[in-house]
């Protein structure tokens, strides 16, 4: 009996030393295999008497069962260990922060443009869009820039192939829009009707050969045009003052119309604003060019300047955006630095 117990114990020890399923199967063979120790003991039974066979056989069987139980237990333990190793190797660390795809947002100048469109829209202005590659007529000729007049040199122009140019201002939209408007109402007008007023803004990109902290070769303007039978400089003042109050969300600001010159307006004025409080208080800041539309420009619309009159303005949309958000370098708008842009979400 002690001999059998010793075999069971050594089987248990051998099994627990096995660290892989293959080790375990080898250890099993030593005890339960064809030439294993238990098998050898069973073979020895043949030489015993019937009674001895019975009791010895039963004892051997019990030991064999004990060894098989130990084997099953170890197999389960090894399988579990293996599973654990596998799980660890394939583990997903769900606590790792995900990689987010950032949400885009509108550029500050686009936000301003939308705001400007909304404000003038509420005053009954249409919004028009036009080409950035222009021809000489719309950019200069229709606007009363004489052929060889030094006024053309006021704008350092980017010329492109075929005599075309990148528009130096949004003013070419005055003629483009007005001519269409006049065409639309021509029949009614020749039957004696008065033309419905032209009231439009044209926001967009403009280009000049210029580059420093306050000038970029590409910049944004918003053109405004209001033509009717009785539209005066006083209306320009009212409209522009209202616009500034709404745009900057304050009435605590002064406007100044400073005499100036443009070939397409007469009289002409630069519009300056001055905040009465806040970080920019006390400084006059130029925001737009403006004036009463020149009779020759009205004529080029296809209208009689004796009958139709009005005003135009062109404001710097980047400038307005800088003032609204307190940005002091225009180049920040065009660098595409996400740290700057994400502040306007
Ligand atoms: N086009 C002028 C500029 O770019 C601005 C302007 C527009 C002036 C309309 C008067 C009337 O400087």
């Amino acid at each position: 009996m002690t001999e059998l117990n010793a075999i069971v114990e050594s089987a248990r020890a051998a099994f627990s030393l096995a660290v892989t399923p293959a080790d375990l199967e080898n250890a099993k063979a030593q005890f339960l295999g064809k030439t294993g120790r238990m098998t050898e003991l069973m073979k020895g039974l043949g030489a015993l008497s019937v009674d001895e066979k019975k009791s010895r056989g039963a004892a051997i069987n019990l030991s064999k069962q004990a060894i098989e139980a130990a084997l099953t237990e170890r197999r389960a333990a090894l399988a579990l260990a293996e599973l654990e190793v596998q799980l660890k190797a394939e583990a997903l660390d769900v606590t790792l922060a995900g990689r987010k795809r950032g949400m885009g947002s509108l550029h500050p100048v686009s936000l301003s443009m939308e705001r400007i469109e909304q404000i003038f829209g509420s005053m009954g202005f249409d919004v028009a869009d036009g080409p950035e590659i222009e021809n000489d007529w719309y950019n200069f000729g229709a606007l009363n820039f004489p052929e060889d007049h030094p006024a053309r040199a006021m704008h350092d122009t980017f010329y492109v192939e075929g005599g075309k140019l990148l528009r130096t201002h949004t003013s070419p939209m005055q003629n483009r829009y007005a001519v269409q408007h006049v065409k639309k109402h021509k029949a009614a007008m020749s039957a004696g009707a008065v033309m419905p007023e032209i009231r439009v803004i044209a926001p967009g990109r403009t280009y000049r050969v210029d580059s420093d902290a306050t000038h970029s070769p590409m910049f944004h303007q918003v053109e405004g045009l209001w033509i009717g039978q009785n539209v005066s400089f006083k209306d320009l003042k009212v409209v522009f003052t209202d616009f500034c109050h709404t745009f900057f969300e304050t009435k605590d600001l002064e406007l100044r119309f400073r005499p100036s010159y443009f070939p397409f307006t007469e009289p002409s004025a630069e519009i300056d604003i001055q905040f009465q409080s806040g970080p920019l208080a006390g400084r006059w800041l130029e925001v737009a060019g403006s004036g009463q539309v020149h009779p020759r420009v009205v004529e080029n619309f296809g209208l009689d300047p004796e009958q139709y009159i009005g005003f135009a303005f062109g404001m710097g949309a980047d400038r307005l955006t800088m003032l609204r958000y307190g940005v002091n370098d225009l180049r920040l708008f065009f660098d595409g630095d996400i740290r700057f842009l994400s502040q306007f979400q």
Side-chain angles (χ1 to χ4, degrees), residues 19 77-91:
V19 288
L78 285 185
L80 193 67
E82 196 179 31
L83 183 66
E84 247 152 44
V85 168
Q86 196 184 348
L87 283 177
K88 217 172 212 168
E90 293 173 1

Side-chain angles (χ1 to χ4, degrees), residues 129-334:
D129 213 4
E132 290 169 30
I133 299 177
E134 265 298 4
N135 60 34
D136 189 85
W137 168 250
Y138 287 112
N139 198 80
F140 295 120
L143 290 161
N144 193 38
F145 282 79
E147 200 59 55
D148 294 314
H149 195 279
R152 273 177 206 254
M154 280 168 67
H155 296 159
D156 287 305
T157 310
F158 287 111
Y159 283 92
V160 298
E161 281 168 12
K164 294 213 167 188
L165 51 88
L166 300 185
R167 66 178 180 189
T168 58
H169 51 179
T170 44
S171 299
M173 285 304 293
Q174 290 187 24
N175 187 279
R176 281 187 179 276
Y177 186 90
V179 165
Q180 289 304 313
H181 183 91
V182 169
K183 212 188 242 171
K184 209 160 89 188
H185 301 283
K186 205 182 182 95
M189 281 161 75
S190 39
V194 171
M195 179 191 75
E197 288 188 348
I198 294 172
R199 220 178 292 164
V200 65
I201 60 162
R205 275 186 282 267
T206 48
Y207 303 84
R208 279 180 215 177
V209 185
D210 220 350
S211 189
D212 59 42
T214 52
H215 296 90
S216 148
M218 188 283 297
F219 58 105
H220 298 86
Q221 283 193 341
V222 180
E223 193 76 9
L225 179 67
W226 188 351
I227 300 287
Q229 283 198 303
N230 206 2
V231 183
S232 73
F233 219 97
K234 179 192 72 192
D235 297 305
L236 167 62
K237 282 191 165 186
V238 170
V239 162
F240 212 87
T241 304
D242 263 8
F243 164 73
C244 287
H245 288 168
T246 313
F247 183 81
F248 290 109
E249 295 173 273
T250 176
K251 291 207 155 121
D252 205 13
L253 110 131
E254 296 284 320
L255 273 82
R256 177 173 79 177
F257 288 75
R258 179 164 42 87
S260 183
Y261 171 77
F262 299 102
F264 38 96
T265 45
E266 182 59 36
S268 305
E270 303 283 352
I271 307 176
D272 302 335
I273 61 168
Q274 188 187 75
F275 295 97
Q276 303 303 299
S277 57
L280 294 166
R283 279 166 53 199
W284 284 110
L285 309 155
E286 187 184 315
V287 292
S290 69
Q292 182 168 301
V293 180
H294 194 286
R296 233 165 300 172
V297 174
V298 174
E299 223 165 63
N300 289 335
F301 293 164
L303 294 172
D304 175 6
E306 296 293 330
Q307 207 187 341
Y308 293 98
I309 193 168
F311 64 80
F313 58 82
M315 45 187 178
D318 310 295
R319 199 78 212 291
L320 289 168
T321 311
M322 288 170 79
L323 295 176
R324 178 161 151 79
Y325 293 112
V327 174
N328 54 19
D329 191 332
L330 176 65
R331 289 169 291 202
L332 286 167
F333 286 151
F334 309 121

